[in-house]
Amino acid sequence: MNFTDKLHHLAQPLWSKSFTHPFIQELTAGNLPITKFKFYLKQDNYYLTEFATLHQLIAAKLSNMADKKILLAGATFDNNDELLVRNAMFAKLGITDSDLANTKPTPAAYNYITHMYYELNTGSPARATAALLPCYWLYSEIGARLEEKSSPVPIYQQFIDGYAGDEFTNSTRAMINLVEKMSSVVDATERNQMINAFLKSSAFELQFWEMAYQQKQWSFESRI
């Protein structure tokens, strides 16, 4: 079993909960309230903006140009497949630039991003790249699982199609290969840290669905 196969195997208990989460199940069935989907999109915009920045910061620490290119492909709004999909959805749902600018990160979004910055700033590019990977790989698998199930809500189908498409699949495969390559040039201790970073991100992915479904905010905000 190679390193990324091991990551995939270890993540299954967490990923299976994402596959069966009510947010995903109701989105597929078409009965997810649109308010919950809009809440998700606004939080995900915060996440993806920081996610793109992380790609750039990690790339800056690498010397291999091919590896840098893989990360830089996800570092800009123009080339980030997820951000392009989201922008089309914002327009259809009437989510404005002002709405996005005024969206404050929820605990789940904040914690997930903080985790990835921590892996970069106190760890290594290898750990940070491993922390990025679940966002690609889990969504790609969700897209593949749901591809043959047509949601009756067109914008929910667009969400599914975006992650089942060739572009996102190819980006995911490139990131998997990059993490595999990085794991081959570090010691066993660092590989364990990469596993830890990957699994934490997988746990945060599950928390993100729950956050969106429950529309969870900071508990103290209502008292400010």
Side-chain angles (χ1 to χ4, degrees):
M1 182 183 292
N2 64 25
F3 181 74
T4 50
D5 286 340
K6 183 177 182 179
L7 292 180
H8 189 265
H9 173 73
L10 291 172
Q12 288 312 298
L14 288 166
W15 286 15
S16 64
K17 293 179 181 178
S18 283
F19 298 143
T20 59
H21 193 277
F23 186 95
I24 295 298
Q25 295 298 305
E26 292 180 17
L27 181 143
T28 308
N31 55 14
L32 179 72
I34 199 68
T35 53
K36 293 186 178 183
F37 189 63
K38 290 175 74 172
F39 187 90
Y40 164 85
L41 287 178
K42 291 176 185 179
Q43 288 299 312
D44 205 46
N45 180 73
Y46 161 79
Y47 169 87
L48 289 175
T49 301
E50 296 295 337
F51 192 65
T53 299
L54 279 155
H55 282 69
Q56 188 171 30
L57 294 174
I58 298 168
K61 292 180 177 288
L62 302 180
S63 57
N64 183 284
M65 292 306 298
D67 296 345
K68 290 170 78 76
K69 185 177 180 180
I70 292 170
L71 285 162
L72 289 173
T76 66
F77 283 85
D78 291 336
N79 293 326
N80 188 298
D81 297 333
E82 283 190 274
L83 289 169
L84 293 174
V85 171
R86 292 298 189 272
N87 287 340
M89 292 181 179
F90 297 152
K92 289 183 179 180
L93 293 173
I95 298 174
T96 66
D97 289 344
S98 177
D99 292 333
L100 297 174
N102 291 321
T103 296
K104 297 178 181 178
T106 61
Y110 177 87
N111 290 341
Y112 194 173
I113 288 297
T114 299
H115 151 64
M116 289 191 286
Y117 275 107
Y118 176 85
E119 295 299 339
L120 176 61
N121 294 330
T122 68
S124 67
R127 292 186 208 176
T129 306
L132 296 179
L133 184 55
C135 187
Y136 284 91
W137 207 348
L138 174 62
Y139 273 72
S140 184
E141 291 212 353
I142 288 173
R145 283 168 176 255
L146 301 182
E147 187 175 13
E148 296 181 0
K149 298 180 180 180
S150 298
S151 176
V153 179
I155 200 163
Y156 294 168
Q157 186 61 41
Q158 182 183 6
F159 176 90
I160 294 168
D161 291 342
Y163 294 112
D166 290 342
E167 283 190 64
F168 193 78
T169 300
N170 291 338
S171 295
T172 300
R173 177 51 55 186
M175 287 295 291
I176 292 170
N177 290 340
L178 179 57
V179 170
E180 185 69 42
K181 178 181 178 181
M182 287 178 161
S183 73
S184 70
V185 294
V186 297
D187 61 22
T189 298
E190 184 69 0
R191 283 193 293 275
N192 285 336
Q193 292 294 339
M194 291 174 71
I195 293 170
N196 185 277
F198 180 87
L199 292 177
K200 283 180 179 176
S201 288
S202 296
F204 282 124
E205 286 289 346
L206 179 58
Q207 291 179 24
F208 208 96
W209 302 125
E210 183 66 10
M211 168 274 296
Y213 193 73
Q214 300 294 342
Q215 299 183 63
K216 290 183 177 181
Q217 298 280 7
W218 297 96
S219 60
F220 58 77
E221 284 193 338
S222 62
R223 301 194 296 272
I224 296 177

